[in-house]
């Protein structure tokens, strides 16, 4: 809804409920329901009343006598047997406020009186393993969560926590030496060369068990900073970052900071271990490891050779980040398979008496099944994205409506392919495993990213070629067609969809909303001509479509999609 209407409604509800806390504002934002009452020529807003006691009837009497241009007829009604607060806003006033607010941009709401400091850790590939499609969900979902928090005006820090530590990196060093990987090969394709080296060395352990011992020794030396391999490892990390940034740029994803597991090596966690010992949390088990007991489990913290484990480094990283950012919330965007790990992390921080441990959230997600090239081969992510681009390019070449030159210098096909991948993922429930299907993901007539791009391009083309000037004044009496009310009803639900998605961390809520917006926009384009109509009518219709375009573009950007003007 428009900023003006929202401001009045929030003020009214706060007075009716005798509240004004950020919690109530969040509740109002995510639970307000918008309906159209055509008989009364009103838009009706409904808000379910929560279980806590309110002196609603007296407060309604007080609030209803405070007149304004928007809200009237405040009352309590029964909705599904629940007490619900109802407001009415005159149809013309609502549409006028809604469209004018969307002329330049979409209102950016603020959920509380002060911004929250939010850290989002996502993507976080292991540099000795392929950046494959399995990392895709963490990357695009983490980016979406960061976008949502920025949209509601929180202070967001996006972190990519790269896995570059552990015994497996002893295997990598061995593999590089055994395969005689050249500096030139490493510079040209570091991710694939590191992976090939790891696989080669790991394969050799089947016939030569001393390989594993050598790998453990190399990692131990790396942890203590005693190895000449340390300098080489720093170089490999540099090459890897440069390669990863190309993939992230293609996806439209940026990070504020890159962090490394190796930052929290054995030397770096000395203070952490000392604190755990002072709190008498550490025991030594039969394998001479230092362990912490939580919920009848013994969790290893330091291996018998003195080297660290993944959980050790995550504990140190969490403490380091809180000291650095003093965050109100930190999200770990990692697949559901890591649930037990993050449960242990929180429990250990609780034992360490860290008061902020409840500010950590593991954002779980399911697996993508069957996501490979059409030949069915397992691939690196960039190989998969290349094929998505090529398929879209073929479709554009075959389509008679294509409006761009389809060649290697034009990035439209790549953007369309990536839009298809993101939306195909985001229309699923976050924690759901799903089967990837090429035809479904790329269907322009179905609920896909290609469809969103098509509608946005259609609106851009309408603005460009209608020979009508966009006005900054709204006359709702010239927009009396029933389809206008349908469009306004959907436009007015944008921010509520964002709020619900923000609270549940479910991208499908906003994605499904954007499909509804695309569908009603297509219907309106068929019924409301702009070109060739009387100037006053045409300019008001163009204003309506401009609002649709702005809201659609804002929603697509939140999803992490670059809106196209032609395709």
């Amino acid at each position: 809804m428009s900023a003006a209407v929202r401001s009045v409604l929030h003020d009214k509800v706060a007075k009716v409920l005798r509240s004004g806390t950020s919690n109530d504002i969040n509740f109002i934002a995510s639970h307000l329901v918008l309906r159209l009452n055509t008989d009364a020529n009103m838009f009706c807003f409904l808000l379910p009343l929560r279980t806590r006691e309110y002196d609603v009837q007296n407060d309604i009497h007080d609030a209803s006598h405070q007149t304004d241009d928007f809200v009237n007829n405040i009352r309590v009604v029964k909705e599904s047997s629940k007490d619900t607060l109802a407001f009415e806003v005159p149809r013309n006033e609502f549409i006028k406020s809604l469209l004018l607010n969307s002329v330049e941009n979409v209102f950016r709401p603020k959920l509380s009186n002060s911004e929250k400091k939010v850290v989002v850790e996502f993507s976080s590939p292991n540099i000795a393993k392929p950046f494959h499609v399995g990392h895709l969900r963490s990357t695009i979902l983490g980016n979406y969560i960061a976008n949502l928090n920025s949209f509601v005006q929180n202070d967001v820090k996006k972190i990519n926590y790269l896995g570059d530590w552990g015994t497996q990196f002893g295997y990598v060093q061995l593999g590089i030496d055994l395969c005689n990987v050249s500096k030139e090969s490493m510079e040209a394709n570091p991710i694939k060369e590191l992976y090939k080296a790891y696989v080669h060395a790991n394969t050799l352990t089947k016939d030569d068990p001393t390989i594993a011992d050598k790998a453990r020794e190399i990692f131990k030396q790396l942890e203590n900073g005693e190895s000449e391999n340390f300098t080489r490892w720093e170089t490999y990390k540099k090459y890897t970052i440069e390669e990863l940034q190309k993939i992230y740029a293609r996806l439209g994803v940026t990070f504020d900071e890159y962090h490394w597991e190796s930052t929290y090596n054995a030397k770096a966690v000395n203070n952490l271990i000392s604190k755990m010992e002072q709190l008498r949390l550490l025991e030594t088990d039969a394998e001479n490891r230092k362990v912490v007991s939580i919920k009848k489990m013994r969790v290893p913290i330091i291996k018998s050779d003195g080297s660290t484990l993944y959980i050790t480094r995550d504990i140190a990283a969490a403490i380091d980040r809180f000291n650095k950012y003093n965050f109100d919330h930190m999200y770990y965007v990692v697949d559901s398979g890591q649930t037990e790990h993050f449960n242990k992390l929180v429990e250990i921080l609780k034992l360490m008496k860290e008061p902020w441990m409840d500010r950590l959230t593991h954002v779980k997600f399911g697996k993508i099944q069957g996501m490979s090239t059409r030949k069915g081969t397992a691939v690196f992510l960039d190989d998969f994205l290349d094929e998505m681009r090529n398929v879209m390019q073929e479709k554009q070449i075959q389509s008679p409506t294509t409006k761009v030159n389809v060649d290697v210098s034009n990035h439209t096909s790549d953007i369309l392919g990536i839009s298809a991948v993101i939306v195909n993922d985001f229309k699923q429930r976050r924690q759901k495993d799903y089967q990837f299907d090429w035809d479904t993901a790329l269907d322009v007539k179905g609920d896909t990213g290609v469809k969103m791009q098509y509608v946005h391009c259609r609106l851009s083309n309408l603005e460009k070629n209608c020979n009508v000037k966009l006005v900054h004044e709204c006359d709702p009496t010239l927009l009396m067609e029933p389809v206008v009310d349908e469009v306004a009803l959907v436009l007015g639900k944008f921010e509520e969809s964002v709020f619900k998605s923000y609270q549940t961390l479910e991208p499908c809520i906003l994605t499904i909303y954007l499909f509804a917006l695309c569908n009603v926009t297509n219907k309106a384009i068929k019924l409301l001509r702009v070109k060739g109509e009387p100037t006053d009518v045409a300019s008001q219709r163009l204003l309506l479509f401009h609002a649709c375009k702005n809201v659609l573009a804002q929603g697509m950007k939140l999803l992490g999609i670059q809106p196209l003007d032609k395709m």
Side-chain angles (χ1 to χ4, degrees), residues 406-419:
V406 183
D407 56 36
V408 292
S409 64
N410 191 294
H411 297 294
T412 302
S413 302
D414 201 35
I415 293 171
L416 284 171
I418 290 168
S419 301

Side-chain angles (χ1 to χ4, degrees), residues 162-174:
L162 294 159
D164 69 323
W165 219 229
T167 303
Q168 65 267 34
F169 297 104
Y171 286 107
V172 173
Q173 293 284 23
L174 282 172

Side-chain angles (χ1 to χ4, degrees), residues 317-477:
I319 293 171
D320 185 42
R321 289 174 195 171
F322 183 75
N323 291 337
K324 184 176 181 180
Y325 305 118
N326 190 28
F327 54 74
D328 296 291
H329 218 96
M330 180 159 68
Y331 297 104
Y332 295 94
V333 187
V334 185
D335 70 83
S336 299
Q338 295 295 314
T339 299
E340 185 178 346
H341 168 81
F342 286 104
N343 287 341
K344 290 176 182 176
L345 173 64
V346 172
E347 287 299 319
I348 291 172
L349 289 169
K350 185 177 181 180
L351 289 174
M352 294 179 67
K353 300 181 173 28
E354 297 293 352
W356 44 267
M357 57 86 186
D358 59 348
R359 303 183 191 183
L360 308 183
T361 297
H362 174 203
V363 184
K364 309 172 188 177
F365 57 86
K367 295 179 180 179
I368 311 173
Q369 299 165 344
M371 195 169 185
S372 62
T373 60
R374 287 174 294 179
K375 294 180 181 179
T377 55
V379 291
F380 287 80
L381 180 60
D382 53 351
D383 295 329
F384 177 81
L385 294 179
D386 284 347
E387 183 152 6
M388 290 294 289
R389 177 198 61 210
N390 295 341
V391 172
M392 286 310 311
Q393 198 171 58
E394 290 172 14
K395 288 179 176 287
Q396 286 179 287
I397 291 171
Q398 294 167 7
S399 173
T401 61
T402 297
K403 300 185 184 308
V404 295
N405 293 322
V406 183
D407 56 36
V408 292
S409 64
N410 191 294
H411 297 294
T412 302
S413 302
D414 201 35
I415 293 171
L416 284 171
I418 290 168
S419 301
V421 171
I422 291 175
V423 171
N424 186 68
D425 189 278
F426 282 174
K427 69 183 182 182
Q428 322 289 337
R429 283 282 175 184
R430 172 167 51 85
Q431 296 191 55
K432 177 185 175 183
D433 296 341
Y434 72 90
Q435 187 76 28
F436 179 82
D437 180 80
W438 281 83
D439 293 333
T440 301
L442 296 170
D443 184 6
V444 70
K445 295 181 180 179
D447 288 338
T448 64
V450 183
K451 178 181 182 177
M452 286 185 193
Q453 292 285 15
Y454 170 77
V455 174
H456 189 269
C457 289
R458 196 176 183 188
L459 290 166
S460 298
N461 186 60
L462 186 153
E463 284 192 10
K464 182 179 179 181
N465 298 310
C466 67
N467 297 322
V468 176
K469 184 179 180 181
L470 181 67
V471 296
H472 293 253
E473 295 179 358
C474 180
D475 183 355
T477 63

Side-chain angles (χ1 to χ4, degrees), residues 204-222:
L204 293 178
T205 60
K206 296 176 182 178
D207 299 319
D208 184 358
T210 65
I211 293 290
D213 295 330
K214 292 176 182 177
R216 282 190 287 270
E217 182 59 30
I218 288 172
F219 174 59
K220 182 180 178 182
Q221 292 173 359
L222 280 169

Side-chain angles (χ1 to χ4, degrees), residues 98 102-107 144 151 419 423 447-461 463 487 490-495 498 510-522 525 543-565 567:
L98 183 71
S102 300
V103 169
E104 298 299 334
N105 52 37
V106 179
F107 173 58
Y144 176 68
F151 186 70
S419 301
V423 171
D447 288 338
T448 64
V450 183
K451 178 181 182 177
M452 286 185 193
Q453 292 285 15
Y454 170 77
V455 174
H456 189 269
C457 289
R458 196 176 183 188
L459 290 166
S460 298
N461 186 60
E463 284 192 10
V487 172
V490 176
L491 286 176
K493 294 178 179 178
F494 171 67
E495 286 163 17
V498 172
L510 179 59
T511 304
I512 292 169
Y513 165 81
L514 293 176
F515 290 146
L517 178 59
C518 287
N519 292 336
V520 75
T521 299
N522 277 334
I525 290 174
L543 180 64
L544 177 73
F545 290 126
H546 185 73
C548 293
K549 179 187 167 199
N550 277 2
V551 172
L552 177 57
Q554 177 64 75
M556 291 170 71
K557 289 173 185 176
L558 285 174
L559 296 183
I561 296 171
Q562 178 184 337
L564 293 170
D565 290 329
M567 57 183 278

Side-chain angles (χ1 to χ4, degrees), residues 75-86:
R75 63 200 185 281
V76 175
V77 298
K78 288 287 185 182
E79 285 281 326
S80 302
S81 301
K82 294 181 180 179
D83 283 343
T84 301
L85 202 59

Side-chain angles (χ1 to χ4, degrees), residues 64-301:
S64 62
H65 282 74
Q66 299 173 27
T67 60
D68 53 60
D69 294 333
F70 296 110
V71 182
N72 53 54
N73 197 16
I74 306 171
R75 63 200 185 281
V76 175
V77 298
K78 288 287 185 182
E79 285 281 326
S80 302
S81 301
K82 294 181 180 179
D83 283 343
T84 301
L85 202 59
F87 302 81
E88 285 184 344
V89 178
R91 183 254 187 204
N92 286 356
E93 291 296 333
F94 177 76
I95 289 178
K96 181 177 180 179
S97 181
L98 183 71
L99 298 190
L100 289 181
N101 182 72
S102 300
V103 169
E104 298 299 334
N105 52 37
V106 179
F107 173 58
R108 291 186 64 201
K110 194 173 181 66
L111 285 180
S112 62
N113 294 328
S114 60
E115 67 180 12
K116 296 186 183 302
K117 295 179 180 178
V118 174
V119 174
V120 187
E121 179 200 298
F122 63 103
S123 193
S124 304
N126 186 322
I127 69 170
K129 294 182 180 178
F131 192 101
H132 55 76
V133 293
H135 293 291
L136 179 68
R137 256 192 145 173
S138 174
T139 303
I140 61 177
L141 178 58
N143 189 54
Y144 176 68
I145 290 171
N147 289 344
L148 277 181
N149 275 275
S150 294
F151 186 70
V152 299
Q153 302 187 53
N154 287 334
D155 179 13
V156 181
K157 187 71 68 176
K158 297 184 289 184
I159 293 176
N160 195 347
Y161 184 52
L162 294 159
D164 69 323
W165 219 229
T167 303
Q168 65 267 34
F169 297 104
Y171 286 107
V172 173
Q173 293 284 23
L174 282 172
I176 289 170
D177 292 336
L178 293 170
C179 294
N180 294 315
V181 179
S182 68
K183 179 182 177 182
E184 291 73 22
S185 297
M186 186 63 68
E187 287 179 346
N189 208 334
I191 296 175
K192 290 184 179 179
E193 290 297 339
L194 288 168
Y195 178 57
K196 283 167 55 180
Y198 170 74
V199 171
H200 178 72
N202 204 41
T203 303
L204 293 178
T205 60
K206 296 176 182 178
D207 299 319
D208 184 358
T210 65
I211 293 290
D213 295 330
K214 292 176 182 177
R216 282 190 287 270
E217 182 59 30
I218 288 172
F219 174 59
K220 182 180 178 182
Q221 292 173 359
L222 280 169
E223 273 232 289
N224 295 326
E226 299 168 355
S227 172
E228 62 182 23
N229 288 326
F230 196 85
T231 301
R232 293 169 61 191
W233 193 244
E234 289 293 326
T235 303
Y236 300 153
K237 286 163 57 176
K238 175 179 176 292
Y239 295 156
T240 300
I241 283 287
E242 292 170 354
E243 186 71 12
L244 285 173
Q245 285 176 332
K246 295 176 185 176
I247 299 173
Y248 292 129
R250 190 173 180 183
L251 292 169
V253 174
T254 59
F255 293 92
D256 297 302
E257 295 179 10
Y258 285 85
H259 291 185
W260 301 91
E261 272 192 67
S262 56
T263 303
Y264 307 102
N265 57 31
K267 286 186 175 180
V269 300
N270 282 339
N271 290 339
L272 170 67
I273 300 304
S274 295
K275 181 175 181 179
M276 296 178 89
E277 287 175 338
Q278 289 171 9
L279 292 169
R280 297 182 180 180
L281 299 179
L282 292 180
E283 305 170 20
T284 302
D285 68 2
E287 298 176 43
N288 203 33
R289 301 175 302 180
K290 293 184 177 181
V291 300
V292 173
S293 295
I294 54 171
K295 295 184 176 180
K296 299 181 181 180
M297 291 187 294
R298 307 187 85 184
V299 181
I301 300 297

